[in-house]
Amino acid sequence: MFSEGRIYMFRVPEGEEFIRYMHEFLEREGIEVGIVNAIGTLKDPKIGYFLEGEKRYKVIELRGTYEIASLIGNISLKDGRPFLHAHVVLGNSEGKAFGGHLIEGRVLVAEVFVLELKGERLERKMTEKGLALWP
Amino acid sequence: MFSEGRIYMFRVPEGEEFIRYMHEFLEREGIEVGIVNAIGTLKDPKIGYFLEGEKRYKVIELRGTYEIASLIGNISLKDGRPFLHAHVVLGNSEGKAFGGHLIEGRVLVAEVFVLELKGERLERKMTEKGLALWP
Amino acid sequence: MFSEGRIYMFRVPEGEEFIRYMHEFLEREGIEVGIVNAIGTLKDPKIGYFLEGEKRYKVIELRGTYEIASLIGNISLKDGRPFLHAHVVLGNSEGKAFGGHLIEGRVLVAEVFVLELKGERLERKMTEKGLALWP
């Protein structure tokens, strides 16, 4: 079980790659476990779909600008460092939605909520499935 | 108004039916009110679309493996027991997204956050609309 | 950094316009910063896609009834008043998903979670991009 830690709400600067920026933020703040929500707009996002048989993600490259209709993620340790696992729903200019594992995306706007969780060490370990999972 | 209760973050074991597993978890822990977020991957999920005129859900059966691009839910009482009402966005192998009320889905991976809320009894009662709603 | 304030979970009455109802709620309760999640069903929702070159939202009008597969939002100040910025994923009767910035929608059902955040003043200011953003 966990208890509430620090709470953040902020905007990621334009032009940053979302995942890299968040990892730098988590390292700097020393946040090892938590949850993340975000909304905003991303450019040229790449999303992943897990190919169970091949034990890897298929990469889906979306070109152009997409609304982040939803971004939900969790923070835990991987290889001893804070790791953000985020899934995303993206809307195009017709409102059509795409969704999957967020691999990367360049920020036009990203408004992020982070809730740190304290109390347990939560760590991903590589499994036979090809996914780094919690116990 | 509510105050924060217990906080959980965990992985649902592979092969479990998501909703049934969560109901067992909520009963075991005695969680009556709260919120749930999750990301992961589901197999053969069924989602519902409410048909207002017919006062029932249309069931949309999706075959195969889908990324849980988003899962948001709330916990309250229904017939005196903890009940999870969850909506989901699912991404297929092309990244195309589907969304609605989560009826069921078999877990490949599900990483779940649960925040218990304390302070009020929140209970669903069947309404004339054919939906069990809060007051 | 923020700390946890008041917590609410409630249903928006049928027939209300979601954004207007939430703004009245936030003003009445004096909630200036926070986060919002919701699930439910909306009628005739309008969603926006930001046209960077034109510095305005393109309005996508969806006709009929849609499941709110996800709604994530944040609360901050704009023009000195509480302002909800919400993004939404909507599912139609075939389960097909649409997503973007929520402009408006009439509530059939909306089950809303609100977490107030205390500690910092967070205010939107109009930028050269045509978007009202946090610093």
Side-chain angles (χ1 to χ4, degrees):
Chain A
M1 226 177 315
F2 297 88
S3 62
E4 179 190 297
R6 291 167 287 175
I7 299 175
Y8 302 81
M9 197 150 74
F10 59 89
R11 182 165 68 87
V12 177
E14 186 182 348
E16 297 284 345
E17 194 286 305
F18 182 82
I19 297 287
R20 187 187 325 130
Y21 185 90
M22 289 301 297
H23 280 155
E24 288 169 4
F25 168 79
L26 298 174
E27 291 242 13
R28 191 168 62 239
E29 295 292 319
I31 300 170
E32 299 191 338
V33 181
I35 58 164
V36 172
N37 283 357
I39 57 176
T41 307
L42 285 183
K43 292 190 175 181
D44 300 332
K46 294 182 186 173
I47 60 176
Y49 172 87
F50 190 65
L51 297 165
E52 197 181 358
E54 303 184 25
K55 300 185 179 184
R56 64 173 184 89
Y57 280 99
K58 173 183 173 184
V59 180
I60 300 160
E61 300 196 24
L62 300 169
R63 303 299 300 180
T65 302
Y66 289 79
E67 296 290 324
I68 304 172
S70 158
L71 184 151
I72 295 179
N74 59 58
I75 303 155
S76 58
L77 291 164
K78 188 177 168 188
D79 302 324
R81 298 169 74 175
F83 176 80
L84 171 62
H85 182 206
H87 280 203
V88 75
V89 185
L90 299 160
N92 74 7
S93 62
E94 305 306 316
K96 192 177 164 189
F98 300 84
H101 170 87
L102 180 60
I103 297 171
E104 64 172 62
R106 194 149 44 87
V107 171
L108 178 60
V109 177
E111 296 174 352
V112 179
F113 168 77
V114 177
L115 169 62
E116 181 187 33
L117 300 178
K118 307 289 277 186
E120 280 183 43
R121 189 177 167 87
L122 189 61
E123 187 150 22
R124 295 181 180 278
K125 303 277 190 196
M126 187 50 64
T127 64
E128 290 179 358
K129 302 195 76 68
L131 287 168
L133 298 176
W134 301 332
Chain B
M1 229 179 311
F2 296 89
S3 62
E4 178 190 296
R6 291 166 288 174
I7 300 175
Y8 302 81
M9 197 149 74
F10 59 90
R11 181 164 68 88
V12 176
E14 185 182 348
E16 298 285 345
E17 193 286 303
F18 183 82
I19 297 287
R20 187 186 326 128
Y21 184 90
M22 289 300 298
H23 280 155
E24 287 168 6
F25 167 80
L26 297 174
E27 290 242 12
R28 191 167 63 242
E29 296 291 320
I31 300 170
E32 299 191 337
V33 182
I35 59 164
V36 172
N37 283 358
I39 57 175
T41 308
L42 285 183
K43 292 189 174 183
D44 301 333
K46 293 183 188 172
I47 60 176
Y49 171 87
F50 189 66
L51 297 165
E52 197 181 356
E54 302 184 25
K55 299 184 179 185
R56 66 173 182 91
Y57 280 100
K58 173 184 174 183
V59 180
I60 299 161
E61 300 196 24
L62 300 169
R63 305 298 300 180
T65 302
Y66 290 78
E67 296 290 326
I68 305 172
S70 159
L71 184 151
I72 294 178
N74 59 57
I75 304 155
S76 58
L77 292 164
K78 187 178 167 188
D79 302 324
R81 298 170 73 176
F83 176 80
L84 171 61
H85 181 206
H87 280 203
V88 74
V89 185
L90 299 159
N92 75 5
S93 62
E94 305 306 316
K96 192 177 163 187
F98 300 84
H101 170 87
L102 180 60
I103 296 171
E104 64 173 62
R106 196 151 43 87
V107 171
L108 178 60
V109 177
E111 296 173 353
V112 178
F113 167 78
V114 177
L115 169 62
E116 181 187 35
L117 300 179
K118 307 289 275 187
E120 279 182 44
R121 189 177 168 86
L122 189 62
E123 187 150 22
R124 295 180 181 279
K125 303 278 190 196
M126 187 51 64
T127 63
E128 289 179 359
K129 302 197 75 69
L131 287 167
L133 298 176
W134 301 333
Chain C
M1 227 178 315
F2 297 88
S3 62
E4 179 189 297
R6 291 167 288 174
I7 300 175
Y8 303 80
M9 197 151 73
F10 59 90
R11 181 164 68 87
V12 177
E14 186 182 349
E16 297 285 346
E17 194 285 305
F18 183 81
I19 298 286
R20 188 188 324 131
Y21 186 89
M22 289 300 297
H23 280 155
E24 287 169 3
F25 168 78
L26 297 173
E27 290 241 12
R28 191 169 61 241
E29 295 291 321
I31 300 170
E32 299 191 338
V33 183
I35 59 165
V36 172
N37 283 356
I39 56 176
T41 308
L42 285 184
K43 293 191 174 180
D44 301 331
K46 294 183 188 173
I47 59 176
Y49 171 86
F50 189 65
L51 297 165
E52 197 181 357
E54 302 184 26
K55 300 185 179 185
R56 65 173 183 91
Y57 281 100
K58 173 183 172 183
V59 180
I60 300 160
E61 300 197 23
L62 299 169
R63 304 298 300 181
T65 302
Y66 289 78
E67 296 290 326
I68 304 171
S70 159
L71 184 151
I72 294 178
N74 59 57
I75 303 155
S76 58
L77 291 165
K78 187 178 168 188
D79 302 324
R81 299 170 74 175
F83 176 80
L84 171 61
H85 181 205
H87 280 202
V88 74
V89 185
L90 299 160
N92 75 5
S93 61
E94 306 306 316
K96 191 176 163 188
F98 300 84
H101 171 86
L102 181 59
I103 297 170
E104 65 172 62
R106 196 151 42 89
V107 171
L108 179 60
V109 177
E111 296 173 353
V112 179
F113 167 77
V114 177
L115 169 61
E116 181 188 33
L117 300 178
K118 306 289 275 187
E120 280 181 44
R121 189 176 167 87
L122 189 61
E123 186 150 23
R124 294 181 182 278
K125 302 278 190 197
M126 187 50 65
T127 64
E128 289 179 359
K129 302 196 76 67
L131 289 166
L133 298 176
W134 302 332

